[in-house]
Every structure is written in C-alpha cells, then in structure tokens.
Amino acid sequence: MRSKKIIITIDGFSSCGKSTLAKDLAKKLGYRYIDTGAMYRAVTYFFIQKGIDMENLDAVHEALQEIHIDFEYERDSGKQNIILNHENIEKHVRRPEINDNVSVVAAIAEVRKQMVNQQQKMGLRGGIVMDGRDIGTVVFPKAQLKIFLTAEEDTRVERRYLEMSLAEPDIDKEDIRTNLLKRDHIDSTRKESPLRQAEDAIVLDNTHLTQDEQVEWVMEQYLGILVS
C-alpha cells in the first residue's frame, strides 16, 4: 500500500510545529518535504537586502523576476537548506527582521501567485509533505490528506522563544508574543489566500503531544486513507 504516493498538507498558525511534524513525517514515509514558509522568508530576505519598497508593485514585480528558489538537502544530517539564487541563506531567514516582515510579503498577491505556481509544480508527482498556511485550501485543494495544526498561544510563544533564544539570548518573550499575534492577524485577514482550515482538513491540537505522538497520530490517518 505504501507504494501509493499521495500529497499531505499541513496548515496552521505560526509556531505550531508544522515544519517539525512535516519533516518527521516525510522522513518516515520517504517523501519529499517542502517548506513553503522558507520560500516566503527567502523572498522577504531578498526584498530587504535589495531595499525593495513592498508597497511599490512595479518594484516587487521586477524583483520577483530575479528570484530563483530551491532546496538543498544534506545527505548526512538530513537537514534542508533554502537556496536563493544559488546561495544558501538558511542561517539568515529566521532572523527577527524576517519574522517582522514575512507576513506582509506573503500577503502580496503577485508574490503568492509565483510561489504557489512553484509549489504546485513540486507536487505534480505526489510523494510530498508540504506545510504552510494555504496549502490545503489553495495550493493543493485536492490533496488526499490535509492536517490543520493548532496549539495553545502560550505553548506557541514558548516554542518560538526556545528556537530564537539560541541565537539571541536577550530576546524578550513578550516581543515574540506580539509578533506571533500580529502574524496571525495578517495571515488570517489578508485578501490573498488567507489562513483558514480547509473543510476536509483534520484538526490536530499538539499542545500536549510529543513529536513522536504527533507523527503516530498522522500515520494513523495516512494508513486509513490508503486502505479506504
């Protein structure tokens, strides 16, 4: 049964652990993992580096023509790196200035159109796990398995704090909370592909679940689809 390659989508708010779950699941299934959030972060990084006025649609259009995004996998560690115009920018895309601007960039219609087009091409042959905010509703509305991941606010703040404090020990936890809530609002209310739960998505609240428990839960849903 596992020879059947399907598309698995994982959507949800920031810091719910979408990427961690998607990576673990892809590894277990031998699928390819696509980090769509990193793609928007790469565009944001490029815009900031080039001083692009994000409200100037002509400038945005021209800048997008210069952007080529790909992923590189480290065979030994299994780590995935985001590649922008042949440069590994993985260490740059989690910085605070990217966090502060990525939702604004992701709300730009032309940016989303180009990224969605790339994402759909990546999933043509199936056998992928893709996470983001509009994957099950816009990118792959006919995906065979859709997960909507959620977690309590305090849990999400703590997760993001632990991640960011490694590089910035003095970072303030309440600043992280403010940023998360701001991103939630922008992602949920934007005109272009807002974050919402697909009607046929299965909700997973992972507030009190370990990583292994989450993967086990999704695997049960996956195996149920294969035999249905």
Side-chain angles (χ1 to χ4, degrees), residues 13-194:
F13 292 101
S14 301
S15 298
C16 285
K18 298 186 299 295
S19 296
T20 300
L21 174 58
K23 289 175 187 175
D24 289 348
L25 191 61
K27 183 177 181 180
K28 189 174 185 67
L29 292 172
Y31 278 20
R32 186 181 183 195
Y33 163 60
I34 307 296
D35 184 354
T36 64
M39 295 174 71
Y40 289 104
R41 286 175 175 272
V43 175
T44 304
Y45 173 78
F46 184 87
F47 284 2
I48 291 174
Q49 291 296 107
K50 299 295 183 179
I52 303 300
D53 180 355
M54 300 173 195
E55 296 183 359
N56 184 331
L57 296 184
D58 288 335
V60 167
H61 173 78
E62 289 184 14
L64 285 171
Q65 310 315 306
E66 302 177 38
I67 293 176
H68 176 73
I69 296 174
D70 202 351
F71 292 97
E72 180 183 81
Y73 297 87
E74 297 179 5
R75 184 173 299 178
D76 294 338
S77 66
K79 180 182 178 182
Q80 175 180 262
N81 297 311
I82 184 76
I83 308 299
L84 172 65
N85 297 336
H86 308 293
E87 178 188 355
N88 185 340
I89 62 166
E90 184 67 31
K91 65 181 180 182
H92 300 298
V93 296
R94 310 294 170 180
R95 291 178 174 175
E97 63 267 27
I98 305 299
N99 292 336
D100 292 341
N101 290 281
V102 64
S103 287
V104 174
V105 172
I108 300 172
E110 187 167 359
V111 172
R112 295 210 72 84
K113 182 179 179 180
Q114 290 215 23
M115 294 301 105
V116 167
N117 182 53
Q118 288 191 35
Q119 292 155 13
Q120 289 174 331
K121 288 180 179 178
M122 293 175 181
L124 286 176
R125 291 179 293 179
I128 66 167
V129 183
M130 188 175 289
D131 73 287
R133 287 163 177 73
D134 63 345
I135 312 305
T137 55
V138 175
V139 183
F140 294 115
K142 295 183 179 180
Q144 295 92 333
L145 176 57
K146 302 177 184 179
I147 306 297
F148 191 87
L149 201 59
T150 185
E152 294 175 0
E153 181 183 311
D154 285 346
T155 299
R156 294 167 56 213
V157 171
E158 184 65 24
R159 288 171 179 169
R160 179 55 62 85
Y161 173 76
L162 291 174
E163 176 188 22
M164 297 187 67
S165 61
L166 294 174
E168 299 177 65
D170 296 329
I171 195 166
D172 185 80
K173 190 176 291 188
E174 289 309 305
D175 287 343
I176 291 176
R177 185 185 303 276
T178 299
N179 175 265
L180 282 182
L181 296 179
K182 177 183 177 182
R183 290 186 64 187
D184 287 351
H185 177 73
I186 293 174
D187 292 340
S188 301
T189 60
R190 68 190 181 211
K191 182 179 180 180
E192 192 72 21
S193 304

